[in-house]
Amino acid sequence: MSDFSERDRQLMALVGLTEEQVLADERMAESETVPDDLTGRVHYGLHLTEPTRQMVSVSVRMPKSTLDGLTAMARRYHISRSEYMRRKLAGAI
């Protein structure tokens, strides 16, 4: 017996997927040992290429809507807003 509903089968047909493909993709996504390129690398803390470099603070004025957008993108990457901005400025994102 299949775990897929008729609606699931209709949606899979629309995008050209078989039940087997969906199940294989599910196993890959749920596996913690198989690299799947779904989320990219996960980083914790600061990830500077030269961690011994002296850091300085910089103040920037911007519209609140821009800051809200930066905050939202940082959350998508599960990193701090400051780390996201550092990477963005360095061209890493």
Side-chain angles (χ1 to χ4, degrees):
M1 174 100 190
S2 172
D3 288 334
F4 294 103
S5 68
E6 185 56 36
R7 178 72 175 141
D8 292 336
R9 286 188 199 88
Q10 291 171 356
L11 291 172
M12 288 186 287
L14 282 174
V15 295
L17 289 173
T18 66
E19 289 185 29
E20 292 79 21
Q21 289 171 308
V22 171
L23 292 171
D25 287 348
E26 176 190 24
R27 282 189 299 275
M28 181 180 69
E30 293 297 325
S31 172
E32 295 192 14
T33 59
V34 177
D36 56 29
D37 296 325
L38 293 175
T39 59
R41 293 177 294 172
V42 176
H43 299 289
Y44 299 97
L46 297 177
H47 303 296
L48 306 170
T49 55
E50 300 176 44
T52 57
R53 270 183 141 169
Q54 180 183 7
M55 300 293 285
V56 296
S57 294
V58 176
S59 295
V60 178
R61 293 180 54 85
M62 66 183 69
K64 184 175 182 327
S65 60
T66 302
L67 184 64
D68 292 343
L70 290 169
T71 302
M73 289 303 296
R75 285 183 181 152
R76 287 183 63 198
Y77 285 102
H78 303 283
I79 58 177
S80 70
R81 185 173 56 211
S82 294
E83 178 66 13
Y84 178 78
M85 292 171 69
R86 277 191 287 275
R87 291 182 191 188
K88 197 73 171 153
L89 288 169
I93 294 181

